[in-house]
Amino acid sequence: MKGIVFTEFLEMVEETHSIDRVDSIIAEAAPPHGGAYTAVGTYPAQEMGALVGALARQSGTPAPELLRSFGTHIFGRFSTLYPGFFTGVTDTFDFLERIESVIHIEVLKLYPDAELPTVLAERTGPGRLRVTYRSPRCMADFAEGLIEGAAAHFGDDITIARSLPRGAAAPELVFSLARAE
Ligand code: HEM
């Protein structure tokens, strides 16, 4: 997993908790490099699981909830870091349709060793989008947070129903999105 995901996560923990909390979750997760993450580095995805698990234990907030709010947080950061992906896109559904065909492809050009999920978006009716998420890293809670971040960014009122309950670590899962018109 790319270092930018780790550095953004630790910055979020510093903002929403404290720098001491950053130190104590790194101490508990005990990554081999001592937690000196750099945005351009690449680290095993399990290290993110260990950091989120440590924060869950230390803060009492369930890990799925933490991953979801991290997804929403990082979406806001993506809109600052990668403004080009937002050019000409005016709503959440159009944006989500571009993840697989454009955005993650461009991400792979920037970071050839990025480990990206499959995110398929399909219109199922007026104001309805089905998003199929597939990844061996089973980060559906993070994906849900990213989708919520997109809805907040575009100002769309969207409800998300999942085919599996929150926290279910499955390699494939369907989000059914309904937009209030
Ligand atoms: C501007 C928008 C976006 C950018 C720039 C972006 C970029 C990235 C990057 C850099 C990674 C890390 C890859 C790695 O660590 O190796 C990632 C992972 C991921 N992306 Fe995106 N992404 C965007 C939007 C989205 C959205 C809207 C979704 C919603 C489904 C999504 C789903 C995911 C998930 C779930 C992962 C974690 C890895 C996995 O599940 O296998 N992304 N993305």
Side-chain angles (χ1 to χ4, degrees):
M1 177 163 279
K2 295 310 299 173
I4 186 170
V5 182
F6 291 85
T7 55
E8 291 294 337
F9 178 72
L10 295 173
E11 272 170 35
M12 182 189 78
V13 175
E14 186 177 340
E15 278 167 27
T16 54
H17 296 256
S18 65
I19 187 74
D20 289 345
R21 183 65 80 203
V22 171
D23 291 342
S24 61
I25 65 170
I26 289 173
E28 183 176 332
H33 45 78
Y37 292 102
T38 67
V40 292
T42 302
Y43 307 89
Q46 299 89 296
E47 289 186 18
M48 180 53 65
L51 289 169
V52 171
L55 184 60
R57 273 186 296 281
Q58 294 183 23
S59 67
T61 306
E65 196 54 45
L66 293 171
L67 271 172
R68 202 163 63 99
S69 42
F70 176 43
T72 306
H73 172 89
I74 205 168
F75 190 89
R77 293 286 295 141
F78 283 163
S79 63
T80 308
L81 294 168
Y82 308 102
F85 294 151
F86 291 80
T87 310
V89 186
T90 52
D91 77 32
T92 309
F93 287 4
D94 285 349
F95 187 85
L96 292 173
E97 283 178 323
R98 294 169 68 84
I99 298 296
E100 189 69 14
S101 58
V102 180
I103 297 172
H104 276 168
I105 290 172
E106 291 301 318
V107 168
L108 264 186
K109 290 184 193 161
L110 291 171
Y111 308 115
D113 60 348
E115 298 177 301
L116 294 161
T118 302
V119 180
L120 299 175
E122 197 188 338
R123 308 261 177 175
T124 50
R128 299 280 184 278
L129 189 78
R130 176 162 56 211
V131 179
T132 304
Y133 164 81
R134 198 178 305 135
S135 167
R137 286 163 295 286
C138 304
M139 293 180 70
D141 299 305
F142 182 58
E144 184 173 345
L146 281 157
I147 293 170
E148 288 175 337
H153 175 88
F154 291 104
D156 288 324
D157 182 4
I158 287 172
T159 46
I160 306 173
R162 293 171 59 137
S163 61
L164 289 169
R166 190 164 293 159
E172 181 171 318
L173 179 143
V174 173
F175 298 101
S176 302
L177 277 56
R179 180 170 56 206
E181 298 297 341

